[in-house]
Structures are given as structure tokens and as C-alpha cells.
Amino acid sequence: MKRFLLAVACLSVAAGASAEPQFLSKQYTRCTTCHYSPTGGGLLTAYGRSLSNQELSTFSAATASREHEALFGILGKRLGALQVGATFRPAHLDVTFPGGSVKRNFIMNGDVMVGYRKNGWTAYGEFGRQGRAAGPDWNTYEHWVSYQSQKGFGIRAGRFLAPYGVNLADHTTFTRRSLGFDVNDQVYGVELSKSSDKNLFQISAGPGRADSLLDGNGTARVTVTGRAQFDLG
């Protein structure tokens, strides 16, 4: 059997990304250092884009490009506190086997993300293509409002990815499968957090997984998740 996977295009304009393990090893221990979301993933902050420009870019170090700015710097600072990002990642799958072959074109990622942050308040929304066994689903699958005080206390409400583990960059990794969650399975709920230089505590609770509630299929259950982090360095 011969399998061949070709990503035919990859476009990222002020885009979102998930956690990169090398940043964790460099003491970037808070998701909000680089992401709008307290649980990581999605739209990058201005600092997150600047860091990825230095650490992950193939060309910027040599060309001093402005690829980390919105639309490669075309808009400058016209958007102010509003940040907009997009990712689009189509692919082509070609599988050959004795007696036949299968070819398929599909979209791995297609998302538009919007974030607004001011005076401790953050409003966030993400619209895109969410893969499902019954077919793709285009909707706003993450949207929430949060507030972070100067003393480190935070609250978030809406639809979001529950605080569990690391939101890995590989969107095909099912780090939550044993709990019945896939990588893009959000919940509706409220999240409370307390962050300091050495510790991070997060807990969320809500009526269940977002898709189960919206479908009304009778499988929704109360969901409670949490995360505790202690920095020993």
C-alpha cells in the first residue's frame, strides 16, 4: 500500500496557532503570553506573532519582513485594539492500493478569528470549518468574553475549549479522547482562574459539550474541568 499526503497550500495571515512545546521549555509557561485564549490555541496576540516571527519563521530573520503584522503590515495600527486572523489549509489525499485508488481534496483548516482586548476585558470569536464524521460544519465554534484583574483573578464565559492539558499545534492529535473530547470539542460554561508568577489554577463548569446542547440529542451532561500548574524554576 502506498500513501501520499500533499498539503497543496498553506496561508496564515496574522494567524492563530496552538502551543509549541519548545516555547514551554523556554519558560513561556502561560498560554496568554502568546494567545488570547487562557487555554491556548486560536488567535495570537501581538507579542505572540512577534515571537513566532523570530522563533518559527523561515525567512524573517534574514529579510526583516513584517509578516507578523496584520496583512503583513499593510494596515499598520489602524485596527487599534482589534486583532483579526485567518488560517486556510487545503490538502490533497492520494491513496493507491492493489486493485484501485482513492483521491480526495479537503480542507484541513479554514478559520477566521477576531479578538478585542482593553482594560482587562477580552472579547473573542472564531468562525470556521469544524470537521465531523457526518460532514463538515461551518459555524462560530468558539466565542466568549473574559475579564482579568491586575491581581491575577480571571473569569470567562461563553463557548470555549475546556482547560485540560496542552492545546497542541497538531490539530489531529486527540489529547482528550479518553474523556470523550476531541481536539475541537468546546463546552458552554464559566471558567474561573487565578494566575501568579509561580502558579496557575483554572476550573470551568457548564451544562455540557456545546454540540450536544445545540443538537438536542439528549447526550449533554454537566461538565467540570480544571488545571493546576506549579512552576518550580
Side-chain angles (χ1 to χ4, degrees), residues 25-48:
S25 67
K26 294 180 180 180
Q27 298 183 353
Y28 292 99
T29 55
R30 298 290 183 270
C31 297
T32 50
T33 302
C34 297
H35 300 271
Y36 276 81
S37 173
T39 45
L43 186 65
L44 292 172
T45 63
Y47 178 79

Side-chain angles (χ1 to χ4, degrees), residues 162-163 179 181 185-190 203-210 213 219-226:
L179 296 182
F181 288 88
D185 213 342
Q186 297 83 10
V187 300
Y188 276 113
V190 176
I203 185 171
S204 71
R209 286 182 285 183
L213 291 170
T219 63
R221 298 291 185 273
V222 173
T223 303
V224 178
T225 59

Side-chain angles (χ1 to χ4, degrees), residues 30 148 151-154 192-196 199-202:
R30 298 290 183 270
Q148 183 77 21
K151 294 184 178 180
F153 292 98
L192 301 177
S193 63
K194 175 63 172 70
S195 178
S196 67
N199 303 311
L200 171 65
F201 301 94
Q202 293 171 300

Side-chain angles (χ1 to χ4, degrees), residues 11-60:
L11 172 65
S12 178
V13 182
S18 301
E20 294 285 355
Q22 65 264 37
F23 291 150
L24 298 178
S25 67
K26 294 180 180 180
Q27 298 183 353
Y28 292 99
T29 55
R30 298 290 183 270
C31 297
T32 50
T33 302
C34 297
H35 300 271
Y36 276 81
S37 173
T39 45
L43 186 65
L44 292 172
T45 63
Y47 178 79
R49 294 198 309 273
S50 178
L51 181 64
S52 64
N53 187 47
Q54 295 297 320
E55 298 285 349
L56 300 177
S57 175
T58 302
F59 306 105
S60 64

Side-chain angles (χ1 to χ4, degrees), residues 34-179:
C34 297
H35 300 271
Y36 276 81
S37 173
T39 45
L43 186 65
L44 292 172
T45 63
Y47 178 79
R49 294 198 309 273
S50 178
L51 181 64
S52 64
N53 187 47
Q54 295 297 320
E55 298 285 349
L56 300 177
S57 175
T58 302
F59 306 105
S60 64
T63 62
S65 71
R66 301 179 65 182
E67 65 182 13
H68 61 289
E69 299 182 23
L71 292 178
F72 300 90
I74 295 176
L75 296 179
K77 298 182 178 180
R78 292 182 179 88
L79 296 179
L82 181 68
Q83 298 288 342
V84 181
T87 59
F88 182 59
R89 191 180 178 188
H92 174 72
L93 180 66
D94 191 338
V95 180
T96 60
F97 49 88
S101 64
V102 175
K103 296 182 179 181
R104 181 185 174 192
N105 297 312
F106 58 98
I107 299 177
M108 298 178 70
N109 296 97
D111 304 291
V112 175
M113 298 152 284
V114 180
Y116 182 84
R117 177 172 291 168
K118 191 172 183 180
N119 298 328
W121 289 93
T122 299
Y124 183 86
E126 189 166 342
F127 174 86
R129 182 183 188 277
Q130 194 171 23
R132 286 289 182 264
D137 183 17
W138 294 86
N139 58 26
T140 171
Y141 54 86
E142 184 160 345
H143 42 268
W144 46 265
V145 176
S146 71
Y147 178 76
Q148 183 77 21
S149 74
Q150 294 182 352
K151 294 184 178 180
F153 292 98
I155 183 171
R156 178 167 61 151
R159 176 171 176 163
F160 50 81
L161 194 65
Y164 174 81
V166 176
N167 193 359
L168 299 175
D170 181 2
H171 68 281
T172 64
T173 300
F174 294 95
T175 59
R176 302 165 176 81
R177 175 174 287 178
S178 62
L179 296 182

